[in-house]
Amino acid sequence: MAADKSISSKQLSRLPIYLKLLYSLKDKGVEKTSAPQIAKALQQNEEQVRKDLQVVSSHIGKPKTGRVVVDLIDDIETFLGYHDATSTVIVGVGHLGGAFMNYSGFSEFGLNILAGFDVDENLVGGKINNKEIFHVDSLEEYIVNHQVHLAILVTPTDVAQNIANRLVKSGIKAIWNFVPIQLRVPEDVIVENVNLASSLAVLSHKLKLNLEKEEKL
Amino acid sequence: MAADKSISSKQLSRLPIYLKLLYSLKDKGVEKTSAPQIAKALQQNEEQVRKDLQVVSSHIGKPKTGRVVVDLIDDIETFLGYHDATSTVIVGVGHLGGAFMNYSGFSEFGLNILAGFDVDENLVGGKINNKEIFHVDSLEEYIVNHQVHLAILVTPTDVAQNIANRLVKSGIKAIWNFVPIQLRVPEDVIVENVNLASSLAVLSHKLKLNLEKEEKL
């Protein structure tokens, strides 16, 4: 049961991490755990863990007895909406979009990928992982008919804003954006950006500097 | 030519975004551009764009004439190491790892995926996208022999730290970590985390709140 709905993005982003740990505890047959134990296992601040869990769970546990692992799992899963799957479509079935359609792991996170959309006639009409690929012309109709509110955007950069506009007009309220541009959307539409190229750029550059430093030693 | 090596992670993460825009300008036959033009196209702060570009490029351009697009592309690509491909291995050829092996797009970012590693006997000995999958037992030997410094970690959570330890012992200096745990590594090893589950959790939760709000209206 959710005790409170005021949760920060940082807190939210930590919940899947707790969940992963709790799954592994459950698999190992551990029945109870506590904020200090979780904090220690994840090398995080104990007070932070306690506060995070208090937001999502009323299973506070008595001091010294701890929380029941399966209850905690259920609370976090419910809070994150993993139990009621969110329908979604993927726009752009290129390299990464195709990989995502093939990736069954998203269903664990409560995502139900209904279909893919593309302009490539070699893809349209086909299926990946048993999900149909439609022409992007039918995007609006599909979203309205299937009452989809979330879309995964993996198009080429130059069409991304245009597609985002069409998504929003059709009723999309949240975009998981993998295209490296800053989308302009109305205030009530949420955009969460994942920029793999940026993440890799940071890593590669630091690696290069470190290797150069080592060579000099 | 890199004018200066002191660049922040935030600046680094913006470079691939400029690059994408510059590619599309080049495709459209645009020969020159300027910091103000780039800032406007990306809806970013002009001064920020100027500063970012000054770090990576000596092609400052005279006032009113602007910078040559292809030179700027070359400077950023060079700075990000896109020209000298970084060899990498993928550890964990499950859903996402397999998708990554299939994803040719990483090569654009200067990543050269050499091979995958897994424990699943159904995968070991096979190939994805013409890249071999080896048993994780041969991980150390492969990394040493091929002088690999960067690894992409996509294993199950419970083995991730152990694999990270083995990677570091074999000479890996940078880990692109898609496993939702905080890896413990020596100071000279760089870890860049991408947590898709956390990103999605933030998005899904905000969407849920917004939809509930709408229902009440």
Side-chain angles (χ1 to χ4, degrees):
Chain A
M1 201 185 86
D4 187 354
K5 272 176 185 166
S6 59
I7 183 164
S8 73
S9 292
K10 283 204 172 167
Q11 286 185 299
L12 267 170
S13 69
R14 287 192 291 265
L15 295 180
I17 298 171
Y18 301 144
L19 206 44
K20 278 274 178 182
L21 176 72
L22 291 165
Y23 289 148
S24 78
L25 290 177
K26 189 186 155 196
D27 286 348
K28 283 174 193 154
V30 178
E31 288 183 4
K32 288 189 174 185
T33 188
S34 63
Q37 276 173 18
I38 293 172
K40 199 180 167 196
L42 297 171
Q43 299 203 296
Q44 295 197 359
N45 179 282
E46 190 180 315
E47 191 49 32
Q48 188 184 72
V49 173
R50 195 190 316 279
K51 280 187 184 166
D52 289 350
L53 294 181
Q54 272 166 357
V55 179
V56 297
S57 175
S58 53
H59 293 99
I60 314 280
K62 289 171 193 159
K64 299 195 181 167
T65 62
R67 299 161 192 248
V68 176
V69 170
V70 290
D71 290 343
L72 211 42
I73 287 175
D74 192 60
D75 283 344
I76 299 178
E77 285 182 343
T78 303
F79 191 87
L80 291 175
Y82 284 12
H83 293 162
D84 34 17
T86 307
S87 297
T88 184
V89 293
I90 292 188
V91 192
V93 190
H95 293 310
L96 195 59
F100 282 168
M101 283 187 78
N102 237 327
Y103 177 47
S104 315
F106 285 145
S107 65
E108 282 174 39
F109 311 143
L111 261 201
N112 178 23
I113 297 172
L114 298 179
F117 292 84
D118 209 290
V119 289
D120 185 344
E121 294 296 348
N122 294 318
L123 294 169
V124 172
K127 283 184 180 187
I128 293 180
N129 197 9
N130 228 14
K131 297 166 206 310
E132 283 184 89
I133 303 167
F134 299 104
H135 195 280
V136 86
D137 284 349
S138 58
L139 187 60
E140 284 88 344
E141 196 188 336
Y142 190 96
I143 289 172
V144 172
N145 286 346
H146 292 78
Q147 298 190 295
V148 182
H149 296 299
L150 190 146
I152 304 178
L153 194 64
V154 213
T155 64
T157 311
D158 55 343
V159 299
Q161 182 61 54
N162 179 260
I163 294 287
N165 297 346
R166 290 172 57 184
L167 289 171
V168 169
K169 272 189 196 151
S170 319
I172 289 292
K173 295 290 177 195
I175 298 174
W176 205 15
N177 176 37
F178 287 81
V179 186
I181 65 160
Q182 208 63 39
L183 294 175
R184 279 155 279 165
V185 297
E187 263 189 21
D188 65 329
V189 175
I190 311 147
V191 175
E192 175 78 12
N193 297 302
V194 181
N195 193 335
L196 295 178
S198 292
S199 169
L200 185 61
V202 172
L203 185 65
S204 300
H205 184 76
K206 287 183 185 167
L207 173 62
K208 208 170 92 181
L209 291 188
N210 276 8
L211 292 177
E212 282 170 7
K213 221 187 293 169
E214 270 185 26
E215 271 173 23
K216 280 181 199 152
L217 291 180
Chain B
M1 202 185 83
D4 186 355
K5 269 176 186 167
S6 59
I7 183 165
S8 73
S9 292
K10 283 206 173 168
Q11 287 185 298
L12 267 171
S13 68
R14 286 191 292 264
L15 295 181
I17 298 172
Y18 301 143
L19 207 45
K20 277 273 177 182
L21 176 71
L22 292 165
Y23 289 149
S24 77
L25 290 177
K26 189 186 158 198
D27 286 347
K28 283 174 193 154
V30 178
E31 287 182 4
K32 288 189 174 188
T33 189
S34 64
Q37 275 173 17
I38 293 172
K40 200 181 166 196
L42 296 171
Q43 299 204 295
Q44 294 196 0
N45 179 283
E46 190 181 312
E47 192 49 31
Q48 190 184 74
V49 173
R50 194 189 317 278
K51 281 186 183 164
D52 290 350
L53 295 181
Q54 272 167 357
V55 177
V56 297
S57 175
S58 53
H59 292 100
I60 315 279
K62 291 173 192 158
K64 300 200 181 163
T65 63
R67 298 161 193 247
V68 176
V69 170
V70 290
D71 290 343
L72 210 42
I73 287 175
D74 192 59
D75 283 345
I76 299 177
E77 284 182 342
T78 303
F79 190 88
L80 290 175
Y82 285 11
H83 293 164
D84 34 15
T86 307
S87 296
T88 184
V89 292
I90 292 190
V91 192
V93 191
H95 292 309
L96 195 59
F100 282 167
M101 283 188 77
N102 237 327
Y103 177 47
S104 317
F106 285 144
S107 64
E108 282 174 40
F109 312 143
L111 262 200
N112 178 23
I113 298 172
L114 297 179
F117 292 83
D118 209 289
V119 290
D120 185 344
E121 293 295 349
N122 294 318
L123 293 170
V124 172
K127 282 185 180 187
I128 293 180
N129 198 10
N130 228 16
K131 297 165 206 311
E132 283 184 89
I133 303 168
F134 299 103
H135 194 281
V136 86
D137 284 349
S138 58
L139 187 60
E140 284 87 345
E141 197 189 333
Y142 191 95
I143 289 172
V144 172
N145 285 346
H146 292 78
Q147 298 190 295
V148 182
H149 296 298
L150 189 146
I152 304 178
L153 194 64
V154 213
T155 64
T157 311
D158 55 343
V159 300
Q161 182 61 53
N162 180 261
I163 294 287
N165 297 345
R166 291 172 56 184
L167 289 171
V168 169
K169 271 187 198 153
S170 319
I172 289 292
K173 294 291 178 196
I175 299 175
W176 205 15
N177 175 37
F178 287 81
V179 186
I181 66 159
Q182 208 63 39
L183 294 174
R184 279 155 279 165
V185 297
E187 261 188 23
D188 64 329
V189 176
I190 311 147
V191 176
E192 175 78 13
N193 296 302
V194 180
N195 192 334
L196 295 178
S198 291
S199 169
L200 186 61
V202 172
L203 185 65
S204 300
H205 184 75
K206 287 182 186 167
L207 173 63
K208 209 170 93 180
L209 290 188
N210 277 8
L211 293 177
E212 283 170 8
K213 221 188 291 170
E214 270 185 26
E215 272 173 22
K216 280 181 199 150
L217 291 180

